[in-house]
Amino acid sequence: MPDLVAAPPPTPAPPSTAPLRELYAAHAADLFRLAYRLTNSAADAEDVVQDVFVGLPEALRGYEERGRFGAWLRTLTARTALSQLRRRARRREVSLDSALPPTAQGHAEAVVSQITLQRALSLLPETLRAVLVLRELEGYSHAEIAEVLGIGVSASQVRLHRAHEKLRTILRSQ
Amino acid sequence: MRMHLPTRILSRFVADELPPDDRVQVARHLAVCHHCRQTAQELRATVAALREAPVPELPGDLLERVLARRAAGERVILPTALPAPAARRAKPWLAALAAGVVLALVGSLAVFRTPDLAASASELTISPREVRAGQRIHVEYRATPKLSGEARLVLRARLATRNSTMVYEHAEVGVLARQAGGIYRGTLTLPDSVVYAAFAVEDTSGTRVDYNPAEWDLLVHGADGRPLLAALEQQTDYRDEWNTELAMETAWARTELYPDSSGGWLTLFHKQESAAQSQESRDSLNAVYGERFRTLERQYLSRPRLEPGEMSWLYFFASALDDTAAARRWADRLIATYPRHIAGVQLRVFRIGDEHRGDRPQFLTALERLWDEVGSTSSQLMFTGFSHAQMAGDEAEIERWGNRLLAAEPMWRAWVTRAFAEAPGLRSQALGLLRTQLQSMDSAAPSQRPLGQSVDEYRRGLQSAKGFFLGQHGRALLADGQQQAALDTLARAVELAWSVDLQRALAEARLVVGDTSRALAAFARVAADPTTSLSFADSVRGRTGHRFQPALWAEAVAAGRQEMAAFIWAQAVDRDVRGAIRLTDPEGRVRVFEKESAGPTFVAFWSRYCPPSFMQLDQLQQLSQELSRAGVRVLSITEGERPAELGEFLKEKGYTFPALIDADHYAARAFDNRATPRYLVLDGSGRIRFDSHTLGDVIRQIFVLRESP
């Protein structure tokens, strides 16, 4: 006897979140540190890391650089952080992290010097801070920085030296 | 003085980026120079401290938030391709002498622009980035919400050619059509002569405008792949109008790409010198750039032929370094080789000024001789002749130099016209010029307005400028004895702008022709203005005798108030102040600004490093005293200052207005401020109701605000 009611089409299983969880476990902390150093703000760094992982499954379709996944992901994060900074600059926002003194505990001297350093970093123009962080803290070469920022190698070198100079001037004046 | 190494070299040394030979040289120097050794140590220590700086912990729930956003269907397009040029911030305008000169010269017509980018996240991408002269350009625009509903948008540009100075062509250069995904695209080709272009996007009626002076521009590149030197020079000039830091970035690029061009080095020197905080840093800048100057000088001397422009740069470079011998050497050489070239004439004008300092008639005679020889080659000559003729108050000279300037540079017409109108003997000429000026305003096209200015803003500015020139025309007619024409013209002028001075002139003129009742109406408008003293009515009563009827007078004053209120309310805005505002006072204490108040609040953004703002500080002091007396809350905000230094500055100048520092940009963000000077009037609930760049109407704004129900 033929079926009188057509069987409902099978519901597609929701895509597994396991791969994303794995990628997150392997890279999130590293990417968060990079984003924090570039934006100088925990809130912005959180936004950046969230955006990167929300967009990652689609972005992966365009990933062709076999064997350099970590570097590719870091470059993607750096670019996302920079565009976050650009958006913030347009709104002329200053993150609360950099505007308010932190309530960190610890040795008074260490706290003061970290506050000063933090503040000095926040006073550095984004263009200079990006080069300083990528080169000195993240170990990028000038060629890599040039690629991430869309500038020339010599511009990256010039900015690095200007960042040093400016940071030193700011720290001296505090 | 010992020569020190530039930090640029030291930071490359510390970063281990120097070639081995240079590294050895630097190490040798460090062995003997305590100062440089200390700098290098500081650089190292800073990097070490940065590396050790703690990073907050990754929040535990971040992954859950990511998964929740994905589960809700959210997707983010990540920048897997190269981004647009790196982040740059349009900061409030800092000292830019050239722009200051332009503002001072254009006088009442100058409108100091701020980019209108509130909360927008628009982007303009130009490809190819390394565009060649005359090449086809593709433009992609991701719209700000205020423009995203349009099917087509207009791309406008400010175009600079190799020799553009102060005068730029503004033109519609393309149409952007909306494509799938809400992205607008268009193509355009710029004329071959253009070396640099800056862009703005607007709707087809020019009502809503989006632009970003820090990022939306294009440098024409040469066959060798470098941006043209002229393009970089034009970019420096444009950026200088907005942000010295950005201009400095271009200057760095100029010296990187064109190390033999002395203009780039000089620009850099000027910028660094003006930012130098101490005599020590100025000394070391002088040493470093002095060395650069001598290197350039050696290179130039070895060339078989030198262009006048290059010699001129060297002269200015030497002058900036206070190297008078070298400056004299290059001036002599330039004048001897190219006496009639624009660059040579400019230095000859300077030289005449030096020779006849303090003796204006002799100075003008010498300039006249130079004119006989070179004619209208140099606007510097005509400009100097005209301004000195004005200072001497010599009408024949004002006429002579004014007419020469007019023939060569139509852009100075407003200035010359004003000077002629103020010289009694040149009145008939002034009348002719004023008519031409007014006609040109009638036929002015909004297509030439500055980037970022909407058609409405342009028309409002034009209307008030027209009111000003009509007023001048009316006064000149009056002085020329043409009573009726003067009355008609003044009556038209007061219809375009609210001006106490013009109303008074109109009233006086009506009194002269015996039209007492209409004179009284104009006097009543003067009395209606809150800046007019209360005793004014008595003086009018005294002069108009029995025709002065108190009841009718009170009625006319009330009508005048309504008329003034209509003019003032036409400028009103209604905007929110966003977020909390924490500011630092000159004693270094943090103050929190409360938006709400019992009545209006006056907020002034100023900077002593911005010439237009600096020039208004005395007026700001006077106004703030008047407002405080009237019970109005006054707040002035500046930035880029240290508390103690600000305190000293205020004390030295005798300024008593409350001044606070916006160290963390709270106020800039809350008021969406990007430029100085800027003056805001807030109502009692803390909303922005008036927003202007001049102080002239502030008392009226507060008056109408208080009078409003």
Side-chain angles (χ1 to χ4, degrees):
Chain A
M1 190 177 150
D3 284 338
L4 292 174
V5 180
T11 341
S16 164
T17 58
L20 196 58
R21 284 175 187 275
E22 269 175 41
L23 286 173
Y24 184 89
H27 299 281
D30 186 33
L31 300 181
F32 180 73
R33 195 194 64 220
L34 170 64
Y36 174 76
R37 284 176 162 169
L38 282 170
T39 58
N40 205 31
S41 145
D44 280 344
E46 281 179 32
D47 287 349
V48 169
V49 172
Q50 270 199 55
D51 279 355
V52 166
F53 282 96
V54 171
L56 194 55
E58 285 71 31
L60 274 170
R61 289 177 199 147
Y63 171 65
E64 285 171 358
E65 298 168 62
R66 309 262 169 246
R68 292 183 61 223
F69 181 70
W72 177 80
L73 200 52
R74 289 159 63 76
T75 299
L76 201 57
T77 306
R79 284 182 188 159
T80 308
L82 292 170
S83 76
Q84 168 86 359
L85 279 177
R86 204 175 312 156
R87 277 202 298 276
R88 200 175 71 186
R90 286 211 189 90
R91 297 196 303 268
R92 287 213 57 142
E93 280 178 16
V94 166
S95 76
L96 281 180
D97 309 9
S98 60
L100 297 173
T103 51
Q105 301 287 313
H107 299 295
E109 202 184 319
V111 172
V112 168
S113 74
Q114 282 312 335
I115 292 170
T116 313
L117 193 64
Q118 198 74 355
R119 194 166 158 72
L121 262 185
S122 75
L123 290 174
L124 218 52
E126 286 86 358
T127 45
L128 301 187
R129 186 168 65 221
V131 176
L132 183 79
V133 167
L134 292 175
R135 170 82 190 154
E136 300 290 6
L137 307 185
E138 303 293 331
Y140 278 54
S141 71
H142 282 299
E144 286 166 331
I145 296 172
E147 203 203 315
V148 173
L149 301 182
I151 58 175
V153 171
S154 61
S156 170
Q157 289 167 345
V158 169
R159 283 185 197 181
L160 178 67
H161 119 73
R162 286 179 55 205
H164 276 305
E165 198 167 20
K166 193 144 189 164
L167 195 60
R168 201 170 61 96
T169 316
I170 296 170
L171 286 172
R172 276 183 146 194
S173 65
Q174 301 223 337
Chain B
M1 190 179 61
R2 180 196 283 278
M3 297 288 279
H4 297 304
L5 292 172
T7 328
R8 154 175 229 186
I9 299 293
L10 289 174
S11 81
R12 290 187 67 192
F13 176 79
V14 169
D16 209 4
E17 289 180 351
L18 284 179
D21 287 355
D22 294 354
R23 202 173 160 73
V24 172
Q25 297 267 7
V26 172
R28 267 194 204 132
H29 177 82
L30 291 185
V32 294
C33 175
H34 172 71
H35 178 273
C36 288
R37 202 161 53 236
Q38 201 178 1
T39 309
Q41 271 163 2
E42 275 177 34
L43 287 168
R44 268 201 198 99
T46 312
V47 172
L50 275 179
R51 288 200 181 116
E52 283 159 20
V55 173
E57 277 190 24
L58 184 65
D61 65 339
L62 201 60
L63 176 60
E64 298 315 313
R65 282 189 262 158
V66 168
L67 296 175
R69 281 172 66 185
R70 278 201 67 85
E74 190 178 334
R75 298 294 179 264
V76 172
I77 311 291
L78 292 174
T80 46
L82 263 185
R88 285 160 187 160
R89 188 173 66 193
K91 287 180 70 172
W93 203 68
L94 295 171
L97 189 61
V101 170
V102 175
L103 282 171
L105 291 174
V106 181
S108 65
L109 285 178
V111 180
F112 190 68
R113 298 292 320 140
T114 56
D116 179 16
L117 278 173
S120 91
S122 55
E123 300 219 6
L124 188 84
T125 315
I126 293 156
S127 56
R129 291 215 49 83
E130 297 184 355
V131 65
R132 301 283 170 81
Q135 195 181 355
R136 203 172 166 77
I137 300 156
H138 298 272
V139 177
E140 198 175 286
Y141 174 65
R142 188 188 303 273
T144 168
K146 69 179 174 184
L147 287 175
S148 59
E150 302 291 311
R152 286 149 71 84
L153 294 169
V154 172
L155 185 71
R156 290 182 72 239
R158 169 171 130 155
L159 304 171
T161 61
R162 199 168 284 278
N163 299 318
S164 299
T165 44
M166 304 216 288
V167 189
Y168 302 93
E169 191 190 340
H170 291 81
E172 282 184 12
V173 290
V175 172
L176 304 175
R178 188 166 61 194
Q179 318 266 303
I183 300 286
Y184 292 80
R185 288 198 181 85
T187 53
L188 63 124
T189 309
L190 294 177
D192 286 357
S193 56
V194 169
V195 295
Y196 177 74
F199 298 99
V201 179
E202 55 191 46
D203 62 4
T204 47
S205 62
T207 315
R208 285 159 293 151
V209 182
D210 184 17
Y211 91 130
N212 180 343
E215 291 180 14
W216 298 358
D217 64 359
L218 165 162
L219 293 153
V220 173
H221 286 57
D224 58 5
R226 293 184 296 179
L228 298 175
L229 180 59
L232 290 165
E233 285 169 358
Q234 293 293 345
Q235 191 186 43
T236 318
D237 288 351
Y238 182 61
R239 288 180 158 187
D240 235 353
E241 292 174 25
W242 298 100
N243 182 336
T244 41
E245 206 168 273
L246 275 178
M248 191 147 148
E249 212 168 277
T250 306
W252 273 111
R254 266 164 80 178
T255 55
E256 284 274 313
L257 294 164
Y258 295 92
D260 296 346
S261 148
S262 40
W265 291 107
L266 175 58
T267 308
L268 213 48
F269 175 58
H270 275 314
K271 303 244 163 277
Q272 288 191 308
E273 200 197 22
S274 60
Q277 300 280 340
S278 67
Q279 191 53 44
E280 192 198 5
S281 37
R282 274 188 286 276
D283 286 346
S284 63
L285 281 173
N286 246 306
V288 171
Y289 281 92
E291 202 179 321
R292 171 61 56 182
F293 171 76
R294 284 184 287 281
T295 310
L296 286 168
E297 195 176 35
R298 274 197 300 279
Q299 282 173 3
Y300 279 46
L301 285 172
S302 66
R303 290 186 196 167
R305 186 169 175 277
L306 270 179
E307 294 297 321
E310 289 165 339
M311 289 195 213
S312 169
W313 276 121
L314 282 175
Y315 161 80
F316 283 110
F317 203 162
S319 308
L321 289 163
D322 277 335
D323 186 343
T324 42
R328 177 145 205 106
R329 199 159 61 232
W330 284 103
D332 285 348
R333 192 165 167 172
L334 175 52
I335 291 171
T337 327
Y338 299 101
R340 287 180 195 81
H341 184 274
I342 181 167
V345 174
Q346 184 182 35
L347 294 198
R348 290 174 75 185
V349 172
F350 291 167
R351 200 155 267 190
I352 290 172
D354 290 341
E355 280 165 15
H356 301 287
R357 199 176 295 278
D359 185 352
R360 197 160 275 135
Q362 278 296 322
F363 180 47
L364 286 167
T365 310
L367 287 182
E368 195 62 35
R369 275 201 300 274
L370 185 57
W371 168 267
D372 289 341
E373 187 189 328
V374 302
S376 61
T377 315
S378 151
S379 48
Q380 178 89 44
L381 171 59
M382 294 177 279
F383 189 81
T384 309
F386 185 64
S387 30
H388 281 264
Q390 260 193 304
M391 285 188 267
D394 183 330
E395 288 189 358
E397 293 279 8
I398 295 175
E399 183 182 14
R400 193 170 17 242
W401 288 105
N403 282 326
R404 287 168 182 166
L405 207 49
L406 280 175
E409 305 257 0
M411 70 171 278
W412 300 122
R413 189 173 54 222
W415 186 40
V416 175
T417 303
R418 207 165 161 170
F420 278 22
E422 283 161 10
L426 300 176
R427 203 161 286 133
S428 60
Q429 282 207 48
L431 285 172
L433 282 173
L434 282 162
R435 271 192 294 274
T436 316
Q437 177 69 25
L438 288 162
Q439 277 160 7
S440 78
M441 289 175 136
D442 283 336
S443 59
S447 61
Q448 274 299 311
R449 78 203 126 96
L451 284 191
Q453 190 178 61
S454 73
V455 168
D456 292 342
E457 289 170 316
Y458 167 78
R459 292 215 168 104
R460 274 201 297 275
L462 191 65
Q463 176 163 314
S464 103
K466 205 171 157 188
F468 172 82
F469 282 106
L470 274 173
Q472 277 213 328
H473 194 206
R475 285 169 192 276
L477 287 167
L478 211 53
D480 201 43
Q482 301 185 46
Q483 293 292 338
Q484 198 49 51
L487 283 173
D488 293 347
T489 310
L490 287 172
R492 279 172 62 211
V494 298
E495 278 170 19
L496 292 177
W498 179 264
S499 161
V500 175
D501 288 347
L502 286 183
Q503 289 285 8
R504 194 185 284 236
L506 181 61
E508 298 286 355
R510 282 177 175 162
L511 216 50
V512 170
V513 296
D515 188 353
T516 316
S517 61
R518 287 168 74 201
L520 270 168
F523 276 131
R525 289 191 177 89
V526 177
D529 194 276
T531 62
T532 303
S533 74
L534 290 173
S535 58
F536 180 74
D538 296 335
S539 77
V540 176
R541 185 201 300 265
R543 296 177 59 197
T544 52
H546 70 281
R547 289 173 187 264
F548 188 96
Q549 294 175 28
L552 288 178
W553 172 256
E555 215 173 279
V557 171
R561 289 238 156 101
Q562 278 183 3
E563 204 176 298
M564 178 192 70
F567 270 108
I568 300 300
W569 278 118
Q571 317 160 358
V573 297
D574 187 7
R575 285 200 305 267
D576 200 11
V577 175
R578 297 192 301 263
I581 303 171
R582 291 159 61 95
L583 301 158
T584 311
D585 70 13
E587 279 77 46
R589 289 171 303 211
V590 173
R591 304 289 186 128
V592 176
F593 173 69
E594 299 289 342
K595 285 187 281 188
E596 289 177 22
S597 168
T601 301
F602 170 62
V603 179
F605 281 91
W606 61 278
S607 165
R608 56 173 154 150
Y609 305 109
C610 160
S613 174
F614 183 76
M615 286 188 285
Q616 292 176 15
L617 289 183
D618 285 349
Q619 209 188 337
L620 177 63
Q621 164 66 17
Q622 199 187 344
L623 177 70
S624 69
Q625 278 179 317
E626 282 174 48
L627 293 178
S628 301
R629 274 198 296 273
V632 176
R633 187 167 64 146
V634 174
L635 169 72
S636 94
I637 300 170
T638 185
E639 65 164 59
E641 296 273 5
R642 284 175 226 285
E645 285 170 15
L646 174 64
E648 269 171 42
F649 169 75
L650 296 171
K651 198 172 152 197
E652 185 190 314
K653 288 282 188 182
Y655 293 147
T656 55
F657 49 78
L660 296 162
I661 304 165
D662 190 20
D664 294 304
H665 305 298
Y666 278 105
R669 179 179 53 174
F671 293 108
D672 197 20
N673 188 54
R674 293 182 175 82
T676 58
R678 189 169 172 225
Y679 308 108
L680 304 166
V681 174
L682 276 53
D683 63 18
S685 70
R687 293 185 71 76
I688 303 171
R689 300 315 311 273
F690 293 99
D691 181 347
S692 45
H693 299 287
T694 57
L695 289 163
D697 277 337
V698 168
I699 287 183
R700 290 179 195 105
Q701 292 163 351
I702 288 171
F703 183 84
V704 300
L705 199 54
R706 279 184 160 172
E707 294 284 301
S708 71

